[in-house]
Amino acid sequence: MSHISSPTAERVTIPVLRRWKREGRRVAMTTAYDAVSARIADPLVDILLVGDSVGNVCLGFDNTLPVNVAMMNHHLEAVARTRPRALLVADMPFLSFHLSPEETIRNAGGFLQRGADAVKLEGGAKRVEMIRALVDCEIPVMGHLGLTPQSVNVMGGFKVQGRTADEALRLLEDAHTLQEAGCFALVLEGIPAELAARATETLMIPTIGIGAGPSCSGQVLVFHDLLGLTAGHRPKFVRAYADGFRLLQGALSHWAADVREGSYPSPDESYRLAEGLGEAIAQWTPSNRT
Ligand code: KIV
């Protein structure tokens, strides 16, 4: 019997997410950066995020700041070609939604033209002008508050946010400001569980937590983190459901050993000449080349 639990085959849309919030149904979201991760995750989760975390997870950068629109387009297109049933959200990278409403609309509109259903962008009240401009152009926006990785230099590192009374109240204000500006959902990252719970119970829109405790309307984890594919420091909120790194290295080391000892490929894994052609080949030598 399979232990793989598949949700409904229902195509996930923004009205569906609104209904799930009313029904109290929790939302599972993960990242996808290419067609392989999209095909693995799509039947099992509700939202696929082409995150700017592609920068540190796949492209070898230390943080998300070097990621640009061209890189996001490349990864989004690969995911979109798989035509996921999950809601497909594309992250707006650093500087793609800061300069002017026109540029923000062009970048986000380009993501929708490439197959995204919605965009996500980081920041609170300061970003409201851009969020309103997008919503006015029928571009659905997911907000992102708390530990926003694009603010790493201002935060002085990847640190839990909202721990003082001032910060906590500002986050609640920001969450409601983003809801009023038209965001259809909010990611809450790296904040105390009690603060995420208060935001979730006072908002009409769903909250998706990452390092924000169990009371959010849903949870998001980076695909490579939850499958144990990332090496190095693992934040405490990351629960790895597989030891993917060791599993894949085990398989590769087995294959390399088989190659070295000559047991790969086997006769069954090889193509054969048609009957009678073996002799013609055996007669041929470099010296009788035509
Ligand atoms: O880029 C990303 O992967 C994200 C999630 C962690 C929410 O923003």
Side-chain angles (χ1 to χ4, degrees):
M1 198 176 76
S2 166
H3 60 279
I4 294 178
S5 71
S6 190
T8 59
E10 186 174 21
R11 171 98 177 83
V12 182
T13 60
I14 286 156
V16 167
L17 286 179
R18 237 180 253 132
R19 169 158 55 82
W20 288 354
K21 166 81 182 180
R22 286 196 304 272
E23 294 169 355
R25 174 172 163 169
R26 289 207 172 87
V27 176
M29 163 165 148
T30 189
T31 57
Y33 309 115
D34 57 20
V36 176
S37 50
R39 286 199 184 99
I40 293 171
D42 180 54
L44 305 168
V45 303
D46 306 310
I47 305 180
L48 285 179
L49 170 69
V50 184
D52 63 349
S53 53
V54 68
N56 42 295
V57 176
C58 300
L59 303 179
F61 295 120
D62 289 337
N63 56 47
T64 56
L65 297 180
V67 176
N68 59 33
V69 172
M71 294 174 195
M72 290 302 299
N73 282 340
H74 182 69
H75 290 275
L76 168 62
E77 284 169 4
V79 172
R81 279 182 204 115
T82 70
R83 303 198 168 277
R85 52 154 279 293
L87 189 85
L88 181 54
V89 180
D91 231 349
M92 307 262 332
F94 183 56
L95 290 189
S96 71
F97 57 99
H98 304 75
L99 304 180
S100 69
E102 288 74 16
E103 200 163 329
T104 304
I105 292 165
R106 192 163 300 112
N107 290 329
F111 288 165
L112 261 61
Q113 288 172 329
R114 287 173 172 82
D117 298 309
V119 300
K120 174 170 84 58
L121 59 83
E122 295 182 9
K126 277 193 274 187
R127 304 293 160 228
V128 159
E129 185 194 356
M130 304 303 178
I131 293 171
R132 287 219 176 95
L134 294 174
V135 172
D136 276 354
C137 292
E138 317 302 336
I139 299 174
V141 181
M142 176 181 274
H144 185 162
L145 293 173
L147 193 175
T148 45
Q150 291 171 17
S151 316
V152 58
N153 292 314
V154 178
M155 295 182 302
F158 297 103
K159 296 178 179 159
V160 173
Q161 302 293 299
R163 281 193 144 147
T164 65
D166 274 1
E167 276 182 17
L169 295 178
R170 189 165 353 108
L171 186 133
L172 291 172
E173 289 287 337
D174 276 348
H176 281 263
T177 303
L178 293 195
Q179 173 173 266
E180 281 150 24
C183 286
F184 71 90
L186 282 188
V187 168
L188 297 177
E189 177 165 358
I191 61 171
E194 302 85 341
L195 180 55
R198 188 66 189 141
T200 303
E201 71 192 7
T202 57
L203 287 165
M204 304 289 290
I205 56 175
T207 57
I208 315 287
I210 172 163
S215 302
C216 294
S217 325
Q219 297 289 329
V220 53
L221 276 182
V222 165
F223 180 90
H224 294 63
D225 285 344
L226 78 88
L227 296 178
L229 291 167
T230 28
H233 170 72
R234 188 178 281 169
K236 81 167 177 182
F237 62 81
V238 172
R239 189 186 295 177
Y241 284 80
D243 190 353
F245 198 88
R246 278 243 303 266
L247 188 79
L248 296 188
Q249 277 204 327
L252 278 165
S253 111
H254 195 158
W255 175 77
D258 285 355
V259 169
R260 289 182 188 119
E261 72 169 35
S263 65
Y264 174 83
S266 69
D268 283 350
E269 290 159 332
S270 307
Y271 299 107
R272 308 304 306 255
L273 275 175
E275 196 95 4
L277 276 181
E279 205 171 315
I281 285 178
Q283 301 298 323
W284 184 90
T285 66
S287 57
N288 64 12
R289 288 173 74 192
T290 52

Short mmCIF file of all heavy atoms in Angstrom, two decimals, residues 29 31 33 49-54 64 91 120 122 144 149 187 189 210 220-222, ligand 1:
data_model
loop_
_atom_site.label_atom_id
_atom_site.label_comp_id
_atom_site.label_asym_id
_atom_site.label_seq_id
_atom_site.Cartn_x
_atom_site.Cartn_y
_atom_site.Cartn_z
N MET A 29 2.89 24.28 1.35
CA MET A 29 3.57 24.97 0.24
C MET A 29 5.05 24.61 0.28
O MET A 29 5.64 24.50 1.35
CB MET A 29 3.37 26.48 0.45
CG MET A 29 4.27 27.42 -0.30
SD MET A 29 3.55 29.11 -0.24
CE MET A 29 5.02 30.12 -0.23
N THR A 31 8.94 24.89 -2.27
CA THR A 31 9.56 25.55 -3.40
C THR A 31 9.78 24.55 -4.53
O THR A 31 9.90 23.34 -4.30
CB THR A 31 10.92 26.17 -3.02
OG1 THR A 31 11.75 25.13 -2.50
CG2 THR A 31 10.75 27.25 -1.98
N TYR A 33 12.21 24.67 -8.26
CA TYR A 33 13.10 25.52 -9.05
C TYR A 33 13.29 24.98 -10.47
O TYR A 33 13.96 25.59 -11.28
CB TYR A 33 14.48 25.62 -8.38
CG TYR A 33 14.42 26.00 -6.91
CD1 TYR A 33 14.83 25.10 -5.94
CD2 TYR A 33 13.96 27.25 -6.52
CE1 TYR A 33 14.79 25.45 -4.60
CE2 TYR A 33 13.92 27.60 -5.19
CZ TYR A 33 14.33 26.69 -4.22
OH TYR A 33 14.29 27.03 -2.90
N LEU A 49 6.20 27.42 -4.90
CA LEU A 49 6.84 28.74 -4.96
C LEU A 49 8.16 28.62 -5.70
O LEU A 49 9.04 27.85 -5.29
CB LEU A 49 7.11 29.25 -3.53
CG LEU A 49 7.99 30.51 -3.43
CD1 LEU A 49 7.24 31.73 -3.98
CD2 LEU A 49 8.41 30.76 -1.98
N VAL A 50 8.29 29.37 -6.80
CA VAL A 50 9.61 29.51 -7.41
C VAL A 50 10.27 30.63 -6.61
O VAL A 50 10.07 31.81 -6.87
CB VAL A 50 9.52 29.83 -8.91
CG1 VAL A 50 10.92 29.86 -9.52
CG2 VAL A 50 8.66 28.80 -9.63
N GLY A 51 10.97 30.22 -5.55
CA GLY A 51 11.50 31.18 -4.58
C GLY A 51 12.83 31.77 -5.07
O GLY A 51 13.58 31.12 -5.79
N ASP A 52 13.10 33.00 -4.60
CA ASP A 52 14.43 33.55 -4.90
C ASP A 52 15.49 32.82 -4.07
O ASP A 52 16.69 33.01 -4.28
CB ASP A 52 14.47 35.07 -4.70
CG ASP A 52 14.22 35.51 -3.28
OD1 ASP A 52 13.79 34.67 -2.46
OD2 ASP A 52 14.45 36.70 -2.98
N SER A 53 15.04 31.93 -3.18
CA SER A 53 15.98 31.05 -2.48
C SER A 53 16.73 30.16 -3.47
O SER A 53 17.71 29.51 -3.10
CB SER A 53 15.25 30.19 -1.44
OG SER A 53 14.17 29.51 -2.03
N VAL A 54 16.28 30.13 -4.73
CA VAL A 54 17.06 29.44 -5.77
C VAL A 54 18.51 29.91 -5.74
O VAL A 54 19.44 29.14 -6.05
CB VAL A 54 16.42 29.66 -7.18
CG1 VAL A 54 16.54 31.11 -7.65
CG2 VAL A 54 17.03 28.72 -8.21
N THR A 64 20.06 35.77 -1.11
CA THR A 64 19.20 35.92 -2.29
C THR A 64 19.44 37.23 -3.05
O THR A 64 18.85 37.44 -4.11
CB THR A 64 17.70 35.87 -1.86
OG1 THR A 64 17.49 36.89 -0.87
CG2 THR A 64 17.34 34.53 -1.27
N ASP A 91 8.54 34.41 -6.95
CA ASP A 91 9.10 35.42 -6.03
C ASP A 91 9.64 36.60 -6.82
O ASP A 91 10.35 36.42 -7.82
CB ASP A 91 10.29 34.78 -5.29
CG ASP A 91 10.19 34.95 -3.80
OD1 ASP A 91 9.35 35.72 -3.33
OD2 ASP A 91 10.98 34.28 -3.10
N LYS A 120 5.06 36.85 -5.22
CA LYS A 120 5.28 37.12 -3.79
C LYS A 120 6.35 38.21 -3.69
O LYS A 120 7.31 38.20 -4.47
CB LYS A 120 5.77 35.84 -3.09
CG LYS A 120 6.16 36.10 -1.62
CD LYS A 120 6.41 34.82 -0.86
CE LYS A 120 7.81 34.26 -1.02
NZ LYS A 120 8.89 35.19 -0.61
N GLU A 122 8.62 40.72 -0.66
CA GLU A 122 8.97 40.92 0.75
C GLU A 122 8.73 42.36 1.17
O GLU A 122 8.99 43.29 0.40
CB GLU A 122 10.46 40.59 0.96
CG GLU A 122 10.80 39.14 0.71
CD GLU A 122 12.27 38.81 0.98
OE1 GLU A 122 13.00 39.67 1.53
OE2 GLU A 122 12.69 37.70 0.62
N HIS A 144 5.07 39.03 2.39
CA HIS A 144 6.09 38.25 3.12
C HIS A 144 6.66 39.16 4.20
O HIS A 144 7.29 40.18 3.88
CB HIS A 144 7.17 37.80 2.12
CG HIS A 144 8.22 36.89 2.67
ND1 HIS A 144 9.04 36.11 1.86
CD2 HIS A 144 8.61 36.60 3.94
CE1 HIS A 144 9.88 35.42 2.60
NE2 HIS A 144 9.64 35.70 3.88
N PRO A 149 14.54 37.62 3.88
CA PRO A 149 15.95 37.43 3.57
C PRO A 149 16.59 38.54 2.74
O PRO A 149 17.79 38.77 2.84
CB PRO A 149 15.97 36.09 2.83
CG PRO A 149 14.76 35.37 3.34
CD PRO A 149 13.73 36.43 3.56
N VAL A 187 3.20 35.25 3.77
CA VAL A 187 4.21 34.39 4.38
C VAL A 187 4.70 35.09 5.64
O VAL A 187 5.01 36.29 5.61
CB VAL A 187 5.39 34.13 3.41
CG1 VAL A 187 6.57 33.49 4.14
CG2 VAL A 187 4.94 33.24 2.26
N GLU A 189 7.72 34.69 8.24
CA GLU A 189 8.97 33.93 8.38
C GLU A 189 9.73 34.37 9.63
O GLU A 189 9.89 35.58 9.90
CB GLU A 189 9.84 34.16 7.13
CG GLU A 189 11.19 33.44 7.23
CD GLU A 189 11.93 33.32 5.90
OE1 GLU A 189 11.40 33.76 4.86
OE2 GLU A 189 13.05 32.77 5.92
N ILE A 210 6.86 29.93 8.17
CA ILE A 210 8.15 29.22 8.06
C ILE A 210 8.96 29.72 9.26
O ILE A 210 9.29 30.90 9.35
CB ILE A 210 8.84 29.43 6.69
CG1 ILE A 210 10.25 28.84 6.70
CG2 ILE A 210 8.84 30.87 6.22
CD1 ILE A 210 10.88 28.62 5.33
N VAL A 220 5.30 26.53 4.93
CA VAL A 220 6.17 26.38 3.76
C VAL A 220 7.55 25.96 4.23
O VAL A 220 8.04 26.43 5.26
CB VAL A 220 6.25 27.68 2.92
CG1 VAL A 220 6.64 28.89 3.73
CG2 VAL A 220 7.21 27.53 1.72
N LEU A 221 8.13 25.01 3.52
CA LEU A 221 9.55 24.68 3.71
C LEU A 221 10.18 24.60 2.33
O LEU A 221 9.52 24.22 1.35
CB LEU A 221 9.72 23.32 4.41
CG LEU A 221 9.64 23.29 5.94
CD1 LEU A 221 9.89 21.87 6.45
CD2 LEU A 221 10.62 24.27 6.60
N VAL A 222 11.46 24.96 2.27
CA VAL A 222 12.22 24.83 1.03
C VAL A 222 12.35 23.34 0.70
O VAL A 222 12.67 22.52 1.58
CB VAL A 222 13.60 25.51 1.20
CG1 VAL A 222 14.57 25.09 0.12
CG2 VAL A 222 13.44 27.03 1.25
O1 KIV B 1 12.44 32.12 -1.50
C1 KIV B 1 11.87 31.33 -0.73
O2 KIV B 1 12.09 30.12 -0.76
C2 KIV B 1 10.92 31.88 0.23
C3 KIV B 1 10.28 30.93 1.20
C4 KIV B 1 11.23 30.43 2.17
C5 KIV B 1 9.07 31.51 1.81
O3 KIV B 1 10.67 33.04 0.22
#
